[in-house]
């Protein structure tokens, strides 16, 4: 569900749909770490048999956000190997004692750079929420009808894709709307930024489109 590199691209970090988080040393191909993050879910053993639908890894903060269908967001500390918190769109962090079955999260992504502690989540009802994982609070919320999310490498821009194939750009921290890209093609499979944060790449069907909206060149 997520693939990341760490330590100058020497370590590969992967989260899998069998509820396992694994790391490999790319210099010799050895597996460094493997664990099932559901072992900390007291009273919810049944969930360990369900496959998660999405995950996002924050290498700098050593956090993994995991989403199950209809559930709230689980935030796992993979350095200390423990379930850190549960996040709801009504209250932010609520601890590990409370879990609901109406979360409706469909996509999550962490920020980067100055916004590395922020976590964006898209919900089935159209809500787009940004959480601050340091303070455990809801930073901002708006209506976006997003199905897929992407963060720019500089952490300043959040891109969303909806079911009509439209891409919208927001300021990651404030969720202030910035720009809209319309396309005749639907069903965005993947959405990414270029490494300089100035272009957006989307995959639809068997094609990849590259966009370079001038709004991404910030005035300062």
């Amino acid at each position: 569900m997520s693939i990341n590199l760490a330590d100058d691209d020497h370590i590969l970090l992967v989260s899998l749909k069998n509820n396992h988080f694994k790391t490999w040393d790319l210099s010799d191909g050895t597996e460094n770490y493997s664990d099932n993050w559901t072992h900390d879910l007291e009273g919810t053993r049944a969930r360990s048999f369900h496959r998660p639908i999405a995950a996002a890894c924050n290498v700098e903060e050593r956090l993994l956000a995991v989403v199950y269908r209809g559930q709230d967001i689980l935030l796992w500390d993979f350095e200390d190997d423990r379930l850190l918190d549960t996040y709801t769109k009504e209250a932010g962090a609520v601890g590990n004692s409370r879990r609901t079955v109406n979360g409706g999260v469909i996509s999550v992504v962490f920020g980067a750079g100055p916004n590395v502690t922020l976590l964006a989540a898209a919900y089935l009802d159209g809500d787009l929420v940004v959480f601050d994982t340091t303070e455990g609070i809801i930073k901002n919320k708006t209506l976006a009808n997003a199905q897929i999310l992407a963060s720019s490498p500089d952490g300043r821009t959040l891109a969303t894709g909806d079911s009509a194939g439209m891409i919208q750009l927001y300021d990651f921290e404030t969720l202030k709307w910035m720009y809209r890209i319309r396309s005749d093609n639907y069903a965005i499979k993947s959405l990414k930024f270029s490494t300089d944060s100035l272009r957006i790449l989307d995959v639809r069907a068997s094609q990849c489109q590259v966009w370079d909206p001038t709004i991404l060149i910030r005035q300062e």
Side-chain angles (χ1 to χ4, degrees):
M1 296 181 296
S2 70
I3 299 176
N4 297 81
L5 293 168
D7 296 342
D8 295 325
D9 296 346
H10 291 129
I11 304 297
L12 178 68
L13 305 90
V14 179
S15 59
L16 303 171
K17 285 197 172 184
N18 64 357
N19 298 306
H20 275 75
F21 183 79
K22 294 177 178 287
T23 67
W24 285 271
D25 188 329
L26 296 183
S27 61
D28 56 15
T30 58
E31 182 179 291
N32 288 344
Y33 178 82
S34 178
D35 194 24
N36 185 322
W37 59 72
T38 61
H39 65 73
D40 236 359
L41 305 181
E42 297 180 5
T44 57
R45 289 178 58 85
R47 185 184 298 177
S48 65
F49 298 102
H50 296 167
R51 285 179 174 268
I53 61 172
C57 182
N58 186 331
V59 176
E60 289 81 1
E61 299 293 313
R62 297 296 192 258
L63 297 176
L64 185 70
V66 184
V67 176
Y68 292 82
R69 192 173 304 281
Q71 308 271 359
D72 290 309
I73 303 169
L74 296 181
L75 199 63
W76 185 56
D77 184 329
F78 60 81
E79 184 171 54
D80 293 337
D81 188 20
R82 65 187 181 96
L83 182 62
L84 190 64
D85 228 317
T86 304
Y87 277 73
T88 75
K89 72 171 183 175
E90 294 83 12
V94 295
N96 299 329
S97 59
R98 174 188 164 190
R99 296 185 180 89
T100 65
V101 292
N102 59 353
V105 188
I106 53 179
S107 182
V108 288
V109 67
F110 281 101
N115 292 327
V116 70
T117 62
L118 301 184
L119 173 67
Y123 289 80
L124 281 171
D125 61 4
D127 281 343
L128 177 62
V129 181
V130 170
F131 302 98
D132 187 322
T133 59
T134 299
E135 300 182 21
I137 61 172
I138 296 173
K139 191 80 172 178
N140 281 294
K141 181 187 296 186
T142 191
L143 188 65
N145 295 314
Q147 291 190 331
I148 190 168
L149 304 174
S151 170
S152 62
D154 63 9
R156 302 183 64 183
T157 309
L158 176 66
T160 70
D162 64 19
S163 58
M166 184 166 56
I167 299 172
Q168 300 202 74
L169 303 181
Y170 298 85
D171 180 90
F172 202 119
E173 182 178 9
T174 65
L175 284 185
K176 178 182 178 181
W177 180 83
M178 296 169 52
Y179 198 77
R180 179 180 295 115
I181 299 173
R182 298 183 183 275
S183 175
D184 294 333
N185 299 320
Y186 297 93
I188 302 174
K189 295 180 180 180
S190 182
L191 192 62
K192 297 291 181 182
F193 282 84
S194 59
T195 55
D196 59 7
S197 301
L198 297 180
R199 292 181 174 85
I200 303 168
L201 297 84
D202 72 62
V203 176
R204 311 172 193 235
S206 60
Q207 291 185 326
C208 175
Q209 300 182 106
V210 182
W211 310 87
D212 56 351
T214 55
I215 193 72
L216 292 177
I217 304 175
R218 305 293 183 110
Q219 185 176 1
E220 63 272 20

